[in-house]
Amino acid sequence: MSEADPARCPGPGVAELFASETRMVPPGIAEDSWRDLGTSPIAADRYTSADFFAAEKEKMWLKVWQMAARDEELPDPGDLIVYENVGRSYLLIRQDDGSVRAFHNVCLHRGRKLRTDSGNANELECPFHGFTWKLDGELKRVPCSWDFAHLADRNMSLPELRVGHFSGYIFVTENAEAPPLEEYLAPLPDIFARWRQEECYTGVWVGKVIKANWKVCAEAFMEAWHSVTTHPQILPFTGDANTRYSLWGDHANLALTPFGVLSPHLEGKGLSEEAILAAMGIETGRSSGSAGILLAEGETARHALAAKNRALYLDDMGYDSSDITDSELLDAYTYNIFPNLSPWGGFTPNISYRWRPWPDQNATLMEVRLLMRPPKGQPKPRAVEMLFLGEDEPWSSFTGWGGLGAVFDQDMANLPYVQDGLHASPNNRVELGNYQESRIRQFQQTLDKYLEGRLSKM
């Protein structure tokens, strides 16, 4: 669908910016994909009802593909990850042949969790009575085996889950009838192949419990136009309301937000290209030094910023950047994979979000990763461990990601009050924009398909 079809904010959109690129934009990135999903309101109690949450657990979470880990979290044989969500506990284990297998983290004797934390092991021994399994899930040892002769005729291998891989992420599903992961994610595998994020590693990982429903948290990152009031400091360099929204199938969508340009809310304010850079904390002029930018005659802040990122994140690291577009080095390619993963595309250090109910419909564990690329030819480091922030620790208390923490604090200042308001909604109604909030509508409609059994098998 062309960019002119839906109603869009005045000002230069993504198509116009692509037309001024210094390099040709590949078709897979240049293409726009949007469809009108209607304007009906959605019910507020979808975010607050214990019954609705119970239906999600039974009819959706057990049917979908979930991102459980990244490859760099378990690089060596015997490395294992405990992944838990909505009362389920899974073990992901790196095998001797380099593959990853996933099992239910439950002893088949009396039901204790086999592991409560991630780490490395050469076997899986239950701490309760000592039933032990090999890392491939085969039963290895039974204490007092004379009392369990009846198990010889029973399948005592650990129940296994399906495993899929995408761009360095490892997904699992309990659903034997779910489509292959590549089909579930389409067209993202083809798009992300260009960015080679399987080469990247988790260099920053921060988590915090938010007092809001997991969908409230996820939806806060599905549209950009909240910046006008929530993040006013970024308006001088963010085309927030000129974001392009793309929708594919049931499980994938994108918000492509241009950076290095004025927000349409500031059009006519007379801000210069140098002012755009200054708002980002970048010095301009001949005395600015190596950290600054000296704009050439007629050069835009956007092109200068892309050139700086091209050198910093690719050229100086030994990678070929000759065909990499300005957009891929500058803009926010914020994808969403149903139900709870949001990986950014492009070539700069990539943000990745994950949301899990923690433990019920009124709270969420939100995790933020920064994926970084090692210098060309150097091994990929093991992932850092997650820093779990306490209730009284703001995102900005972690200083290892510059100004990002302050931006997340602005977002999180809204979300508990959204949850409170939804509980108090007098008409049980949430209204959404037709275009700028179309990703939220697709997300909610896909959830309905699972709850109604239309996507429980494919």
Side-chain angles (χ1 to χ4, degrees), residues 261-288:
V261 295
L262 287 176
S263 164
H265 301 291
L266 298 184
E267 288 294 331
K269 301 294 186 181
L271 294 178
S272 66
E273 297 297 316
E274 286 80 7
I276 293 175
L277 296 175
M280 302 180 75
I282 298 174
E283 296 182 10
T284 60
R286 297 190 180 279
S287 61
S288 60

PDB file of all heavy atoms in Angstrom, residues 261-288:
ATOM      1  N   VAL A 261      15.975  14.650  12.058  1.00  0.00           N
ATOM      2  CA  VAL A 261      15.049  15.594  11.430  1.00  0.00           C
ATOM      3  C   VAL A 261      14.154  16.179  12.517  1.00  0.00           C
ATOM      4  O   VAL A 261      13.991  15.590  13.589  1.00  0.00           O
ATOM      5  CB  VAL A 261      14.181  14.919  10.350  1.00  0.00           C
ATOM      6  CG1 VAL A 261      15.037  14.436   9.193  1.00  0.00           C
ATOM      7  CG2 VAL A 261      13.386  13.758  10.945  1.00  0.00           C
ATOM      8  N   LEU A 262      13.555  17.303  12.223  1.00  0.00           N
ATOM      9  CA  LEU A 262      12.647  17.935  13.177  1.00  0.00           C
ATOM     10  C   LEU A 262      11.336  17.172  13.275  1.00  0.00           C
ATOM     11  O   LEU A 262      10.816  16.657  12.279  1.00  0.00           O
ATOM     12  CB  LEU A 262      12.340  19.373  12.753  1.00  0.00           C
ATOM     13  CG  LEU A 262      13.426  20.430  12.915  1.00  0.00           C
ATOM     14  CD1 LEU A 262      12.933  21.748  12.335  1.00  0.00           C
ATOM     15  CD2 LEU A 262      13.795  20.594  14.382  1.00  0.00           C
ATOM     16  N   SER A 263      10.800  17.101  14.471  1.00  0.00           N
ATOM     17  CA  SER A 263       9.428  16.630  14.624  1.00  0.00           C
ATOM     18  C   SER A 263       8.490  17.560  13.861  1.00  0.00           C
ATOM     19  O   SER A 263       8.701  18.785  13.825  1.00  0.00           O
ATOM     20  CB  SER A 263       9.047  16.636  16.103  1.00  0.00           C
ATOM     21  OG  SER A 263       7.641  16.535  16.262  1.00  0.00           O
ATOM     22  N   PRO A 264       7.433  17.022  13.234  1.00  0.00           N
ATOM     23  CA  PRO A 264       6.468  17.899  12.569  1.00  0.00           C
ATOM     24  C   PRO A 264       5.813  18.887  13.533  1.00  0.00           C
ATOM     25  O   PRO A 264       5.305  19.917  13.115  1.00  0.00           O
ATOM     26  CB  PRO A 264       5.452  16.928  11.968  1.00  0.00           C
ATOM     27  CG  PRO A 264       5.629  15.661  12.731  1.00  0.00           C
ATOM     28  CD  PRO A 264       7.067  15.603  13.102  1.00  0.00           C
ATOM     29  N   HIS A 265       5.852  18.584  14.828  1.00  0.00           N
ATOM     30  CA  HIS A 265       5.295  19.508  15.820  1.00  0.00           C
ATOM     31  C   HIS A 265       6.135  20.776  15.948  1.00  0.00           C
ATOM     32  O   HIS A 265       5.663  21.776  16.512  1.00  0.00           O
ATOM     33  CB  HIS A 265       5.187  18.824  17.178  1.00  0.00           C
ATOM     34  CG  HIS A 265       4.328  17.598  17.179  1.00  0.00           C
ATOM     35  ND1 HIS A 265       2.960  17.639  17.005  1.00  0.00           N
ATOM     36  CD2 HIS A 265       4.640  16.281  17.315  1.00  0.00           C
ATOM     37  CE1 HIS A 265       2.469  16.414  17.045  1.00  0.00           C
ATOM     38  NE2 HIS A 265       3.464  15.573  17.230  1.00  0.00           N
ATOM     39  N   LEU A 266       7.380  20.729  15.435  1.00  0.00           N
ATOM     40  CA  LEU A 266       8.268  21.902  15.514  1.00  0.00           C
ATOM     41  C   LEU A 266       8.453  22.585  14.176  1.00  0.00           C
ATOM     42  O   LEU A 266       9.259  23.514  14.070  1.00  0.00           O
ATOM     43  CB  LEU A 266       9.644  21.474  16.061  1.00  0.00           C
ATOM     44  CG  LEU A 266       9.679  20.884  17.469  1.00  0.00           C
ATOM     45  CD1 LEU A 266      11.112  20.609  17.885  1.00  0.00           C
ATOM     46  CD2 LEU A 266       8.993  21.808  18.469  1.00  0.00           C
ATOM     47  N   GLU A 267       7.744  22.131  13.156  1.00  0.00           N
ATOM     48  CA  GLU A 267       7.855  22.772  11.849  1.00  0.00           C
ATOM     49  C   GLU A 267       7.505  24.253  11.958  1.00  0.00           C
ATOM     50  O   GLU A 267       6.559  24.632  12.643  1.00  0.00           O
ATOM     51  CB  GLU A 267       6.930  22.094  10.832  1.00  0.00           C
ATOM     52  CG  GLU A 267       7.392  20.710  10.402  1.00  0.00           C
ATOM     53  CD  GLU A 267       8.685  20.725   9.615  1.00  0.00           C
ATOM     54  OE1 GLU A 267       8.965  21.732   8.937  1.00  0.00           O
ATOM     55  OE2 GLU A 267       9.438  19.735   9.708  1.00  0.00           O
ATOM     56  N   GLY A 268       8.285  25.082  11.287  1.00  0.00           N
ATOM     57  CA  GLY A 268       8.054  26.520  11.316  1.00  0.00           C
ATOM     58  C   GLY A 268       8.688  27.230  12.485  1.00  0.00           C
ATOM     59  O   GLY A 268       8.543  28.447  12.635  1.00  0.00           O
ATOM     60  N   LYS A 269       9.439  26.484  13.338  1.00  0.00           N
ATOM     61  CA  LYS A 269      10.084  27.101  14.490  1.00  0.00           C
ATOM     62  C   LYS A 269      11.440  27.716  14.152  1.00  0.00           C
ATOM     63  O   LYS A 269      12.063  28.356  15.002  1.00  0.00           O
ATOM     64  CB  LYS A 269      10.281  26.057  15.608  1.00  0.00           C
ATOM     65  CG  LYS A 269       8.987  25.413  16.100  1.00  0.00           C
ATOM     66  CD  LYS A 269       8.084  26.416  16.795  1.00  0.00           C
ATOM     67  CE  LYS A 269       6.864  25.714  17.394  1.00  0.00           C
ATOM     68  NZ  LYS A 269       5.942  26.646  18.059  1.00  0.00           N
ATOM     69  N   GLY A 270      11.887  27.496  12.915  1.00  0.00           N
ATOM     70  CA  GLY A 270      13.133  28.132  12.485  1.00  0.00           C
ATOM     71  C   GLY A 270      14.382  27.483  13.039  1.00  0.00           C
ATOM     72  O   GLY A 270      15.437  28.133  13.090  1.00  0.00           O
ATOM     73  N   LEU A 271      14.323  26.220  13.457  1.00  0.00           N
ATOM     74  CA  LEU A 271      15.505  25.548  13.984  1.00  0.00           C
ATOM     75  C   LEU A 271      16.439  25.138  12.848  1.00  0.00           C
ATOM     76  O   LEU A 271      16.000  24.595  11.835  1.00  0.00           O
ATOM     77  CB  LEU A 271      15.093  24.314  14.791  1.00  0.00           C
ATOM     78  CG  LEU A 271      14.311  24.588  16.080  1.00  0.00           C
ATOM     79  CD1 LEU A 271      13.928  23.280  16.753  1.00  0.00           C
ATOM     80  CD2 LEU A 271      15.126  25.438  17.036  1.00  0.00           C
ATOM     81  N   SER A 272      17.714  25.384  13.022  1.00  0.00           N
ATOM     82  CA  SER A 272      18.705  25.089  11.992  1.00  0.00           C
ATOM     83  C   SER A 272      19.183  23.651  12.090  1.00  0.00           C
ATOM     84  O   SER A 272      18.889  22.939  13.055  1.00  0.00           O
ATOM     85  CB  SER A 272      19.908  26.025  12.158  1.00  0.00           C
ATOM     86  OG  SER A 272      20.571  25.746  13.387  1.00  0.00           O
ATOM     87  N   GLU A 273      19.967  23.239  11.077  1.00  0.00           N
ATOM     88  CA  GLU A 273      20.565  21.911  11.123  1.00  0.00           C
ATOM     89  C   GLU A 273      21.521  21.800  12.309  1.00  0.00           C
ATOM     90  O   GLU A 273      21.610  20.753  12.957  1.00  0.00           O
ATOM     91  CB  GLU A 273      21.302  21.624   9.807  1.00  0.00           C
ATOM     92  CG  GLU A 273      20.413  21.585   8.578  1.00  0.00           C
ATOM     93  CD  GLU A 273      19.371  20.471   8.625  1.00  0.00           C
ATOM     94  OE1 GLU A 273      19.724  19.330   9.004  1.00  0.00           O
ATOM     95  OE2 GLU A 273      18.193  20.729   8.293  1.00  0.00           O
ATOM     96  N   GLU A 274      22.221  22.870  12.606  1.00  0.00           N
ATOM     97  CA  GLU A 274      23.105  22.863  13.775  1.00  0.00           C
ATOM     98  C   GLU A 274      22.305  22.717  15.067  1.00  0.00           C
ATOM     99  O   GLU A 274      22.766  22.065  16.015  1.00  0.00           O
ATOM    100  CB  GLU A 274      23.927  24.155  13.820  1.00  0.00           C
ATOM    101  CG  GLU A 274      25.045  24.247  12.807  1.00  0.00           C
ATOM    102  CD  GLU A 274      24.560  24.641  11.410  1.00  0.00           C
ATOM    103  OE1 GLU A 274      23.355  24.971  11.271  1.00  0.00           O
ATOM    104  OE2 GLU A 274      25.365  24.613  10.473  1.00  0.00           O
ATOM    105  N   ALA A 275      21.112  23.293  15.097  1.00  0.00           N
ATOM    106  CA  ALA A 275      20.277  23.176  16.291  1.00  0.00           C
ATOM    107  C   ALA A 275      19.818  21.740  16.510  1.00  0.00           C
ATOM    108  O   ALA A 275      19.667  21.290  17.652  1.00  0.00           O
ATOM    109  CB  ALA A 275      19.069  24.103  16.181  1.00  0.00           C
ATOM    110  N   ILE A 276      19.591  21.005  15.414  1.00  0.00           N
ATOM    111  CA  ILE A 276      19.234  19.595  15.525  1.00  0.00           C
ATOM    112  C   ILE A 276      20.363  18.829  16.218  1.00  0.00           C
ATOM    113  O   ILE A 276      20.138  18.036  17.134  1.00  0.00           O
ATOM    114  CB  ILE A 276      18.934  19.001  14.136  1.00  0.00           C
ATOM    115  CG1 ILE A 276      17.660  19.621  13.556  1.00  0.00           C
ATOM    116  CG2 ILE A 276      18.805  17.477  14.217  1.00  0.00           C
ATOM    117  CD1 ILE A 276      17.341  19.183  12.146  1.00  0.00           C
ATOM    118  N   LEU A 277      21.590  19.091  15.782  1.00  0.00           N
ATOM    119  CA  LEU A 277      22.742  18.420  16.386  1.00  0.00           C
ATOM    120  C   LEU A 277      22.920  18.835  17.843  1.00  0.00           C
ATOM    121  O   LEU A 277      23.218  18.003  18.706  1.00  0.00           O
ATOM    122  CB  LEU A 277      24.006  18.726  15.590  1.00  0.00           C
ATOM    123  CG  LEU A 277      24.029  18.212  14.144  1.00  0.00           C
ATOM    124  CD1 LEU A 277      25.292  18.691  13.433  1.00  0.00           C
ATOM    125  CD2 LEU A 277      23.938  16.700  14.107  1.00  0.00           C
ATOM    126  N   ALA A 278      22.732  20.123  18.106  1.00  0.00           N
ATOM    127  CA  ALA A 278      22.902  20.618  19.478  1.00  0.00           C
ATOM    128  C   ALA A 278      21.914  19.965  20.421  1.00  0.00           C
ATOM    129  O   ALA A 278      22.237  19.658  21.578  1.00  0.00           O
ATOM    130  CB  ALA A 278      22.756  22.137  19.506  1.00  0.00           C
ATOM    131  N   ALA A 279      20.674  19.705  19.948  1.00  0.00           N
ATOM    132  CA  ALA A 279      19.666  19.063  20.793  1.00  0.00           C
ATOM    133  C   ALA A 279      20.052  17.631  21.149  1.00  0.00           C
ATOM    134  O   ALA A 279      19.608  17.092  22.155  1.00  0.00           O
ATOM    135  CB  ALA A 279      18.309  19.086  20.090  1.00  0.00           C
ATOM    136  N   MET A 280      20.918  17.045  20.322  1.00  0.00           N
ATOM    137  CA  MET A 280      21.399  15.695  20.584  1.00  0.00           C
ATOM    138  C   MET A 280      22.676  15.705  21.422  1.00  0.00           C
ATOM    139  O   MET A 280      23.259  14.648  21.681  1.00  0.00           O
ATOM    140  CB  MET A 280      21.654  14.962  19.260  1.00  0.00           C
ATOM    141  CG  MET A 280      20.444  14.861  18.364  1.00  0.00           C
ATOM    142  SD  MET A 280      20.779  13.990  16.805  1.00  0.00           S
ATOM    143  CE  MET A 280      20.868  12.300  17.374  1.00  0.00           C
ATOM    144  N   GLY A 281      23.111  16.890  21.814  1.00  0.00           N
ATOM    145  CA  GLY A 281      24.328  16.997  22.608  1.00  0.00           C
ATOM    146  C   GLY A 281      25.594  16.932  21.797  1.00  0.00           C
ATOM    147  O   GLY A 281      26.671  16.668  22.334  1.00  0.00           O
ATOM    148  N   ILE A 282      25.496  17.192  20.492  1.00  0.00           N
ATOM    149  CA  ILE A 282      26.658  17.128  19.601  1.00  0.00           C
ATOM    150  C   ILE A 282      27.121  18.541  19.278  1.00  0.00           C
ATOM    151  O   ILE A 282      26.338  19.375  18.795  1.00  0.00           O
ATOM    152  CB  ILE A 282      26.309  16.384  18.296  1.00  0.00           C
ATOM    153  CG1 ILE A 282      25.908  14.939  18.629  1.00  0.00           C
ATOM    154  CG2 ILE A 282      27.485  16.410  17.322  1.00  0.00           C
ATOM    155  CD1 ILE A 282      25.406  14.167  17.443  1.00  0.00           C
ATOM    156  N   GLU A 283      28.376  18.815  19.534  1.00  0.00           N
ATOM    157  CA  GLU A 283      28.941  20.130  19.247  1.00  0.00           C
ATOM    158  C   GLU A 283      29.152  20.303  17.751  1.00  0.00           C
ATOM    159  O   GLU A 283      29.423  19.344  17.026  1.00  0.00           O
ATOM    160  CB  GLU A 283      30.272  20.312  19.983  1.00  0.00           C
ATOM    161  CG  GLU A 283      30.159  20.294  21.493  1.00  0.00           C
ATOM    162  CD  GLU A 283      31.497  20.520  22.172  1.00  0.00           C
ATOM    163  OE1 GLU A 283      32.467  20.884  21.471  1.00  0.00           O
ATOM    164  OE2 GLU A 283      31.572  20.323  23.391  1.00  0.00           O
ATOM    165  N   THR A 284      29.021  21.549  17.297  1.00  0.00           N
ATOM    166  CA  THR A 284      29.273  21.863  15.892  1.00  0.00           C
ATOM    167  C   THR A 284      30.293  22.991  15.825  1.00  0.00           C
ATOM    168  O   THR A 284      30.551  23.691  16.803  1.00  0.00           O
ATOM    169  CB  THR A 284      27.988  22.298  15.176  1.00  0.00           C
ATOM    170  OG1 THR A 284      27.471  23.473  15.825  1.00  0.00           O
ATOM    171  CG2 THR A 284      26.938  21.201  15.214  1.00  0.00           C
ATOM    172  N   GLY A 285      30.872  23.167  14.652  1.00  0.00           N
ATOM    173  CA  GLY A 285      31.860  24.237  14.476  1.00  0.00           C
ATOM    174  C   GLY A 285      33.269  23.687  14.445  1.00  0.00           C
ATOM    175  O   GLY A 285      33.534  22.537  14.785  1.00  0.00           O
ATOM    176  N   ARG A 286      34.198  24.519  14.046  1.00  0.00           N
ATOM    177  CA  ARG A 286      35.573  24.073  13.816  1.00  0.00           C
ATOM    178  C   ARG A 286      36.306  23.720  15.094  1.00  0.00           C
ATOM    179  O   ARG A 286      37.322  23.032  15.073  1.00  0.00           O
ATOM    180  CB  ARG A 286      36.347  25.155  13.053  1.00  0.00           C
ATOM    181  CG  ARG A 286      35.760  25.419  11.668  1.00  0.00           C
ATOM    182  CD  ARG A 286      36.659  26.308  10.821  1.00  0.00           C
ATOM    183  NE  ARG A 286      36.073  26.527   9.512  1.00  0.00           N
ATOM    184  CZ  ARG A 286      36.155  25.657   8.504  1.00  0.00           C
ATOM    185  NH1 ARG A 286      36.807  24.516   8.677  1.00  0.00           N
ATOM    186  NH2 ARG A 286      35.601  25.917   7.348  1.00  0.00           N
ATOM    187  N   SER A 287      35.825  24.173  16.248  1.00  0.00           N
ATOM    188  CA  SER A 287      36.499  23.876  17.505  1.00  0.00           C
ATOM    189  C   SER A 287      35.846  22.713  18.252  1.00  0.00           C
ATOM    190  O   SER A 287      36.138  22.473  19.407  1.00  0.00           O
ATOM    191  CB  SER A 287      36.483  25.116  18.409  1.00  0.00           C
ATOM    192  OG  SER A 287      35.156  25.486  18.710  1.00  0.00           O
ATOM    193  N   SER A 288      34.959  21.993  17.569  1.00  0.00           N
ATOM    194  CA  SER A 288      34.180  20.970  18.256  1.00  0.00           C
ATOM    195  C   SER A 288      34.989  19.715  18.558  1.00  0.00           C
ATOM    196  O   SER A 288      34.604  18.923  19.397  1.00  0.00           O
ATOM    197  CB  SER A 288      32.936  20.599  17.440  1.00  0.00           C
ATOM    198  OG  SER A 288      33.312  20.101  16.170  1.00  0.00           O
TER     199      SER A 288
END
